[in-house]
C-alpha cells in the first residue's frame, strides 16, 4: 500500500512541484544574498577609501604630525573597536597608529605593501580575527610623500546581516517546502481526478456494461479530450462486440439450417427403411448441402483474409469488358428463365490490373442479386463504362424491390440480409465479398436504391 502511494503519479508530481519550487526559491535567496553582501562590501570599501582620501589631504596640508593626530582622532570618534589606522614607511615599518590594543592580530602584510608600492592605487584584504573569526576589511593606501596608510574597518554589519539572513532563510525555506508540497498535492489530485474517472469507468466495464461512458466535462482540456477519445473507443468496441455477436448468431443460424436438413433427410431415410434409390437421393442431397456449407465457409475465409490484407491475389492486365461479357453470358439463361429483360452494354476493351477470378466472382454476385431480387417482367441492365481519369465503372441496375435506406450500408456487412430476402436462397456474404475484393483492388462498391423501384450497384476499379 505504502509502495503504491510512493509510486503514484500524484505523489511524484507533488515531489516534482515541491522540489522545483524549493530549488527556485533557494536560487532566488542565493542571488539576493550575493547582491546584498556585495553592496555591503562596496559600502565598507568606499568608507575606507574616503578615510584614505582625508589622510592624503591632511598629509599634504599639515604633514606627518597632522596625519598622526588625525589617526588617533578618527579612531576615537568612530570607536576604537570599529576602525584603526596605521601609518607606515614604504619598507613596512610602522611610525604612527591609532590605539591598537584590539587589533593586535592584524599585521602589516609585506606582500600587500610591495604590491602597493609597485602598482599604486588601493589594496583591499579581508582578515579574520579573534576566537569568533570576526571579519575585518583592511585597506592599504598610498597617502603621499613616502607615507603608506593601513586602515581597517570591522565588518560587523556584514556579520549581522549574514546571521539575520540565515534565520530568515531557514524559516522561509521550511514554509516554502511545506506550502509547495501542499499546493502540489492539491493540484496533482485535482488534475488527476479526470484520470480517476476514466479508470473507474474502465474497471466497471465488462461484456454487459459496455454502454458505460466517462462523463465529459466540456472544458476541452487534455483530460476532457482523453475522456472523449476513451468514449469513442468504447463506442467502436461496443459496435464491434455487437457485430461479432450478431455475426456469430448468423453463422450459427446459417450453419444450423443445412446441418438440420442433412440430419432430417438421413433420419427419414433410415426410419422408412428406404431402398437403394432413396439412399442415393439422400447421398446426393447431403453432398449438395455439404457443398453449400463448404462454399459458405470458403467465402468467409476469403473475406477474412482479404480484410486482413492476407488474401491470395494475383494481379494481371485484365480485359474487364470481356470478363463482364462472359459473366453476363452465364446469367442470360437465368434471366430468360425468370422472364427478366436482361441487357448489357459493354465498352470495347477496357483493361485494368485485376485478379480475374476474384473480380468475376464479385461481378457475378451483383448480377446474381439483381436477378434474384427483381420479379418477373422486370429489367436488369449491366454496363461497363470507361472514364479516363477515374477508372472503370461496372454498373448493375435493376427494377426490383429496392433497399430500405436504413439497410443501405448494412447490406455490405457479413451475413446481413434484409428481411424480405430471408425467403430467398442466399448467405448474406455476396456483397461483403464483392466489396472486400474490390477494395483490395483500390476500388469500391456503392449502392443507390429507391424502395419499390429498384437499385443501382456501381463497382469502380482504378486503371493502374
Ligand atoms: P444474399 O443475396 O446472399 O442474401 P448479399 O450479401 O449478396 O447476400 O446481399 C445482402 C442483402 O442485400 C440481401 O439479402 C438483400 O436483402 C440485399 N440486396 C442485395 N442486392 C439487392 C438488390 N439488387 N435488390 C434488393 N436487395 C438487394
Amino acid at each position: 500500500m505504502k509502495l503504491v502511494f510512493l509510486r503514484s503519479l500524484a505523489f511524484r508530481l507533488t515531489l516534482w512541484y515541491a522540489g522545483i519550487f524549493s530549488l527556485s526559491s533557494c536560487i532566488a535567496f542565493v542571488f539576493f544574498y550575493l547582491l546584498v553582501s556585495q553592496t555591503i562590501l562596496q559600502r565598507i570599501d568606499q568608507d575606507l577609501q574616503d578615510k584614505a582620501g582625508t589622510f592624503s589631504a591632511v598629509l599634504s596640508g599639515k604633514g606627518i604630525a597632522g596625519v598622526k593626530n588625525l589617526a588617533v582622532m578618527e579612531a576615537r570618534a568612530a570607536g576604537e573597536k570599529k576602525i584603526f589606522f596605521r601609518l607606515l614607511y614604504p619598507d613596512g615599518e610602522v611610525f604612527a597608529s591609532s590605539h591598537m590594543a584590539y587589533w593586535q592580530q592584524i599585521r602589516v602584510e609585506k606582500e600587500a605593501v610591495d604590491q602597493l608600492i609597485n602598482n599604486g592605487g588601493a589594496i583591499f584584504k579581508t582578515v579574520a580575527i579573534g576566537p569568533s573569526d570576526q571579519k575585518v576589511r583592511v585597506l592599504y593606501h598610498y597617502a603621499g610623500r613616502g607615507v603608506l596608510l593601513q586602515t581597517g574597518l570591522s565588518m560587523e554589519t556584514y556579520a549581522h546581516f549574514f546571521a539575520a539572513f540565515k534565520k530568515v532563510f531557514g524559516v522561509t525555506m521550511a514554509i516554502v517546502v511545506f506550502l509547495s508540497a501542499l499546493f502540489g498535492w492539491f493540484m496533482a489530485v485535482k488534475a488527476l481526478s479526470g484520470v480517476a474517472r476514466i479508470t473507474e469507468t474502465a474497471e466497471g466495464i465488462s461484456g454487459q456494461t459496455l454502454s458505460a461512458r466517462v462523463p465529459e466535462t466540456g472544458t476541452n482540456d487534455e483530460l476532457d479530450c482523453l475522456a472523449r477519445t476513451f468514449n469513442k473507443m468504447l463506442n467502436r468496441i461496443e459496435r464491434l462486440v455487437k457485430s461479432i455477436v450478431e455475426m456469430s448468431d448468423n453463422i450459427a443460424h446459417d450453419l444450423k439450417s443445412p446441418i438440420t436438413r442433412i440430419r432430417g433427410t438421413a433420419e427419414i431415410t433410415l426410419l422408412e427403411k428406404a431402398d437403394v434409390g432413396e439412399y442415393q437421393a439422400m447421398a446426393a442431397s447431403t453432398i449438395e448441402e455439404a457443398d453449400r456449407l463448404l462454399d459458405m465457409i470458403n467465402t468467409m475465409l476469403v473475406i477474412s483474409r482479404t480484410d486482413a490484407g492476407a488474401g491470395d491475389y494475383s494481379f494481371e492486365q485484365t480485359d474487364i469488358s470481356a470478363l463482364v461479357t462472359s459473366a453476363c453470358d452465364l446469367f442470360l439463361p437465368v434471366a430468360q428463365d425468370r422472364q427478366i429483360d436482361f441487357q448489357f452494354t459493354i465498352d470495347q476493351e477496357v483493361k485494368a490490373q485485376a485478379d480475374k477470378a476474384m473480380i468475376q466472382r464479385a461481378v457475378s454476385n451483383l448480377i446474381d442479386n439483381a436477378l434474384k431480387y427483381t420479379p418477373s417482367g422486370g429489367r436488369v441492365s449491366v454496363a461497363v463504362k470507361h472514364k479516363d481519369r477515374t477508372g472503370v465503372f461496372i454498373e448493375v441496375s435493376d427494377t426490383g424491390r429496392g433497399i430500405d435506406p436504413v439497410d443501405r450500408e448494412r447490406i455490405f456487412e457479413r451475413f446481413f440480409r434484409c428481411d424480405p430476402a430471408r425467403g430467398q436462397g442466399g448467405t448474406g456474404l455476396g456483397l461483403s465479398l464483392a466489396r472486400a475484393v474490390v477494395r483490395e483492388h483500390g476500388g469500391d462498391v456503392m449502392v443507390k436504391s429507391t424502395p419499390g423501384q429498384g437499385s443501382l450497384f456501381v463497382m469502380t476499379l482504378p486503371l493502374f
Side-chain angles (χ1 to χ4, degrees):
M1 183 69 195
K2 197 176 156 199
L3 214 65
V4 172
F5 173 72
L6 293 183
R7 279 198 196 139
S8 72
L9 195 56
F11 177 73
R12 279 183 290 153
L13 279 176
T14 308
L15 219 59
W16 272 103
Y17 186 82
I20 290 173
F21 204 75
S22 307
L23 189 73
S24 322
S25 312
C26 223
I27 292 172
F29 263 108
V30 169
F31 188 70
F32 176 71
Y33 170 76
L34 289 177
L35 199 78
V36 175
S37 58
Q38 196 63 28
T39 314
I40 294 177
L41 203 64
Q42 270 170 6
R43 268 193 52 193
I44 293 176
D45 288 357
Q46 189 58 50
D47 275 0
L48 287 171
Q49 261 180 326
D50 289 350
K51 300 276 184 225
T54 318
F55 271 75
S56 298
V58 172
L59 183 67
S60 63
K62 297 186 180 167
I64 286 186
V67 283
K68 274 183 182 172
N69 280 339
L70 182 68
V72 178
M73 270 161 50
E74 280 279 343
R76 270 192 201 145
E80 282 173 348
K81 286 187 176 175
K82 205 149 186 249
I83 196 162
F84 74 88
F85 299 94
R86 265 188 191 134
L87 294 162
L88 327 163
Y89 291 123
D91 61 358
E93 191 195 329
V94 180
F95 68 88
S97 70
S98 57
H99 188 63
M100 293 299 286
Y102 184 72
W103 307 100
Q104 287 301 323
Q105 287 177 36
I106 297 182
R107 312 249 158 250
V108 174
E109 283 183 41
K110 181 96 178 65
E111 185 199 334
V113 172
D114 290 347
Q115 216 179 327
L116 182 66
I117 291 168
N118 293 334
N119 304 333
I123 307 289
F124 286 100
K125 298 271 173 194
T126 303
V127 183
I129 57 163
S132 59
D133 273 352
Q134 190 208 328
K135 297 256 179 359
V136 183
R137 190 75 169 158
V138 179
L139 165 70
Y140 293 84
H141 193 267
Y142 194 73
R145 277 192 281 136
V147 177
L148 305 184
L149 171 72
Q150 184 203 33
T151 173
L153 191 62
S154 158
M155 289 172 80
E156 238 180 333
T157 357
Y158 191 84
H160 284 156
F161 161 73
F162 189 63
F165 183 86
K166 257 195 339 210
K167 245 190 231 162
V168 173
F169 176 78
V171 174
T172 316
M173 277 317 284
I175 296 174
V176 163
V177 170
F178 175 73
L179 283 184
S180 57
L182 199 73
F183 279 128
W185 176 254
F186 172 75
M187 277 160 63
V189 168
K190 194 159 166 41
L192 293 173
S193 65
V195 177
R197 273 186 289 134
I198 296 173
T199 314
E200 231 169 74
T201 312
E203 270 172 357
I205 280 176
S206 66
Q208 282 74 41
T209 55
L210 260 179
S211 53
R213 294 291 178 271
V214 183
E216 291 171 27
T217 54
T219 48
N220 243 349
D221 58 11
E222 289 86 342
L223 285 173
D224 199 38
C225 287
L226 179 65
R228 214 174 310 133
T229 314
F230 185 73
N231 285 343
K232 272 191 205 155
M233 188 187 76
L234 283 179
N235 287 345
R236 280 203 298 274
I237 293 176
E238 194 181 19
R239 270 203 306 273
L240 210 69
V241 169
K242 209 170 143 211
S243 78
I244 290 172
V245 171
E246 260 176 34
M247 205 193 301
S248 42
D249 280 358
N250 286 330
I251 294 175
H253 179 263
D254 285 332
L255 291 181
K256 213 171 120 191
S257 313
I259 292 171
T260 315
R261 276 199 297 275
I262 292 171
R263 195 185 176 286
T265 322
E267 197 176 12
I268 292 168
T269 318
L270 270 182
L271 288 178
E272 289 183 354
K273 297 194 174 56
D275 58 23
V276 178
E278 281 165 328
Y279 272 111
Q280 279 174 342
M282 181 202 82
S285 115
T286 306
I287 289 172
E288 203 179 305
E289 293 288 1
D291 280 350
R292 222 197 318 272
L293 274 174
L294 280 175
D295 187 44
M296 201 171 96
I297 291 165
N298 282 336
T299 309
M300 272 164 55
L301 280 175
V302 173
I303 300 173
S304 312
R305 287 200 187 127
T306 305
D307 282 349
D312 186 14
Y313 286 77
S314 65
F315 291 89
E316 57 186 326
Q317 194 69 357
T318 307
D319 184 345
I320 304 292
S321 313
L323 183 150
V324 177
T325 309
S326 76
C328 289
D329 286 341
L330 275 175
F331 280 99
L332 197 56
V334 182
Q336 282 167 351
D337 201 34
R338 300 209 42 224
Q339 290 159 5
I340 291 172
D341 178 13
F342 189 45
Q343 299 169 356
F344 45 98
T345 44
I346 315 280
D347 272 3
Q348 284 303 304
E349 275 260 333
V350 182
K351 288 196 169 174
Q353 279 287 324
D355 182 308
K356 199 172 169 188
M358 287 296 195
I359 291 293
Q360 182 135 29
R361 214 167 152 186
V363 172
S364 300
N365 281 345
L366 296 189
I367 302 174
D368 184 35
N369 280 349
L371 292 171
K372 201 158 61 175
Y373 301 116
T374 301
S376 300
R379 194 176 64 244
V380 170
S381 315
V382 179
V384 175
K385 293 174 183 168
H386 176 195
K387 293 186 184 165
D388 270 349
R389 295 202 175 172
T390 26
V392 185
F393 286 72
I394 304 163
E395 297 179 352
V396 180
S397 64
D398 62 63
T399 57
R401 60 172 166 240
I403 299 155
D404 200 303
V406 281
D407 293 336
R408 211 162 289 157
E409 263 314 300
R410 298 203 65 198
I411 56 172
F412 293 100
E413 289 172 16
R414 281 174 238 191
F415 294 104
F416 181 82
R417 309 193 72 204
C418 304
D419 275 340
R422 300 219 173 259
Q424 257 143 329
T427 56
L429 289 173
L431 286 178
S432 324
L433 177 80
R435 187 172 254 187
V437 166
V438 176
R439 284 189 173 169
E440 182 71 14
H441 283 72
D444 209 349
V445 182
M446 269 107 38
V447 63
K448 282 184 189 159
S449 183
T450 312
Q453 288 185 25
S455 315
L456 165 67
F457 283 84
V458 182
M459 182 187 284
T460 54
L461 281 177
L463 283 176
F464 54 83

